[in-house]
Amino acid sequence: MAVEKTSVNPPHLLWQGGTQPLKAGYGKLMMWIFLLSDVFTFSGFLVTYGMIRFGYPTFSEVVAGMTHKTFEFSQLYWPIPEKVFKAVPLLHGVDAPLVFVGIMTFILIFSSVTMVLAVEAGHRRDKADVEKWMLWTILGGFIFLSSQAWEWSHFIHGTEHGLTLEDGTTIFGAKLGINEYGPPNFANLFFFITGFHGFHVFIGVLLNIMVFYNAANNVYEKRGHYEMVEKVGLYWHFVDLVWVFVFTFFYLV
Amino acid sequence: MAEHSSIERQKPNTKHLWKVFWILLVLTALEFVVAFTIDADHYKWTKIGIFVFMTIVKAYYIVGIFMHLGSETKSFIWTIVLPIIFVLWLIVALLVEGEYFGIEKFF
């Protein structure tokens, strides 16, 4: 009853071995192509963000004479990010602009280094080192995700005094419909873009756990190479790369 | 499982990786210095220019060293870099055009 497996491709179209195309493994090449498509997605977000932001007048155009020092939140113009993101856990009421997001950036850069060290250990087929550095990377991913959860929660709840509108009502925090820090679009874009990045981090942590599990169970040892660490590493570094851009265009500019 | 323990444990060569870590860290620290020392009321676009430049330098190190794109074959590098150059062009073009409409046209 055994059915002989045959290929639908004629033999002369089959790759007969030898040096791989572009001297890279198929999986690694495809991971790069996938990341390239992800670049398109995030570039789309960046363009959307820039165009909507440019669509609003600047605060000095709305209120004559207002500077960065005398800046106040209004729904008429885009906020200054460092006036929005200035809270740090356990330091209630302390004015620390961009400090927490700086810590998050540091965590992600650090987990990127531990990931590249795991890749390097994989090249040496050093199972113990791969496991060690993968664990550090997973830990960094979890800390980053928790930090982002805290930041979102703080952003949603808002400040104690809120923003008093012209009709006398006071609104608190940033939600999809109302936003005490500026136009609702500011909050919407923030949630959408950092959320999409956070989702990437979440998937990355799952992949990292999978790599750790397989490495610990000798899957790569039996396979004879640790290329999977390299492929997942590419994804993880891309996530770090996206954060570098989010950090610049959402928090600094 | 004795055959694995008999293989001599190669020593890790990670100096250049840690160097990139320090470069990324220093660049991020410099971004903070720029964010809080340069007067944004007068030098807004200088500031943005510095941030964008530093971001691209960081991206170069992450992609080139951490993702090992620098050590791939030339055709591999161009397969990835060429589309990105066009995408960067698209971003700049759309953002420049984006200055010509106001949000009030939407609402």
Side-chain angles (χ1 to χ4, degrees), chain A residues 128-139:
Chain A
D129 261 13
V130 170
E131 286 172 7
K132 177 178 80 178
W133 292 121
M134 284 315 295
L135 272 185
W136 278 109
T137 312
I138 291 165
L139 181 70

Side-chain angles (χ1 to χ4, degrees), chain A residues 22 24 28 32 40 43 51 55 67-68 98 102 106 113 117 120 124 126 129 221 234 237 240-241 247-248, chain B residues 4 9-10 12-14 18 21 25 31-32 40-41 55 59 62 66-67 72-73 75-76 87 94 101 103:
Chain A
L22 301 179
K28 201 170 97 175
W32 268 105
F40 295 171
S43 300
M51 286 185 89
T67 64
H68 276 68
L98 300 183
F106 171 77
V113 182
L117 290 171
E120 193 270 344
R124 290 183 284 114
D126 188 330
D129 261 13
E221 203 53 56
L234 283 174
H237 290 131
D240 179 37
L241 185 66
F247 177 62
T248 300
Chain B
H4 289 308
R9 213 159 164 261
Q10 278 177 284
N13 178 23
T14 55
W18 283 105
F21 168 71
L25 200 62
E31 280 184 329
F32 271 87
D41 290 316
T55 304
I62 291 174
F66 280 0
M67 296 169 90
E72 304 288 356
T73 61
S75 41
F76 194 143
V87 168
L94 287 177
F101 67 79
I103 210 78

Side-chain angles (χ1 to χ4, degrees), chain A:
Chain A
M1 293 294 283
V3 179
E4 204 187 321
K5 280 183 185 168
T6 51
S7 169
V8 288
N9 289 319
H12 70 278
L13 289 181
L14 289 177
W15 182 42
Q16 300 292 332
T19 309
Q20 290 162 307
L22 301 179
K23 290 183 186 157
Y26 168 77
K28 201 170 97 175
L29 187 60
M30 288 305 118
M31 179 54 93
W32 268 105
I33 300 297
F34 164 70
L35 295 181
L36 191 59
S37 75
D38 238 11
V39 168
F40 295 171
T41 309
F42 279 104
S43 300
F45 293 163
L46 184 60
V47 169
T48 311
Y49 178 75
M51 286 185 89
I52 291 179
R53 185 175 175 169
F54 280 153
Y56 284 93
T58 60
F59 61 83
S60 49
E61 283 166 8
V62 176
V63 187
M66 185 185 268
T67 64
H68 276 68
K69 285 211 174 81
T70 60
F71 178 82
E72 274 172 28
F73 293 123
S74 160
Q75 302 215 306
L76 295 175
Y77 45 81
W78 213 255
I80 303 172
E82 64 194 55
K83 309 274 182 195
V84 180
F85 306 103
K86 57 181 186 181
V88 179
L90 307 177
L91 294 176
H92 187 71
V94 177
D95 189 7
L98 300 183
V99 167
F100 190 53
V101 73
I103 296 170
M104 284 165 72
T105 306
F106 171 77
I107 291 164
L108 213 53
I109 290 177
F110 191 77
S111 81
S112 225
V113 182
T114 56
M115 184 80 227
V116 81
L117 290 171
V119 173
E120 193 270 344
H123 287 153
R124 290 183 284 114
R125 294 187 58 183
D126 188 330
K127 184 186 154 192
D129 261 13
V130 170
E131 286 172 7
K132 177 178 80 178
W133 292 121
M134 284 315 295
L135 272 185
W136 278 109
T137 312
I138 291 165
L139 181 70
F142 271 122
I143 297 177
F144 180 85
L145 283 175
S146 331
S147 308
Q148 204 172 31
W150 186 89
E151 200 189 18
W152 270 46
S153 142
H154 188 268
F155 189 56
I156 291 169
H157 287 111
T159 57
E160 275 166 10
H161 45 82
L163 178 73
T164 307
L165 300 177
E166 275 177 26
D167 61 4
T169 55
T170 307
I171 53 174
F172 295 95
K175 280 111 187 157
L176 293 179
I178 56 157
N179 180 5
E180 71 158 276
Y181 298 105
N185 271 338
F186 172 70
N188 295 353
L189 285 165
F190 177 83
F191 288 132
F192 194 72
I193 296 176
T194 63
F196 203 71
H197 173 264
F199 179 66
H200 273 74
V201 178
F202 177 68
I203 297 292
V205 170
L206 291 186
L207 290 174
N208 287 342
I209 291 173
M210 181 203 79
V211 166
F212 171 77
Y213 181 81
N214 284 349
N217 284 300
N218 286 320
V219 171
Y220 305 131
E221 203 53 56
K222 282 178 199 144
R223 201 177 281 173
H225 60 80
Y226 281 76
E227 206 195 34
M228 190 52 96
V229 184
E230 202 174 336
K231 284 184 268 191
V232 172
L234 283 174
Y235 179 80
W236 188 254
H237 290 131
F238 177 76
V239 167
D240 179 37
L241 185 66
V242 170
W243 181 255
V244 165
F245 280 84
V246 169
F247 177 62
T248 300
F249 292 107
F250 246 101
Y251 294 97
L252 291 178
V253 169

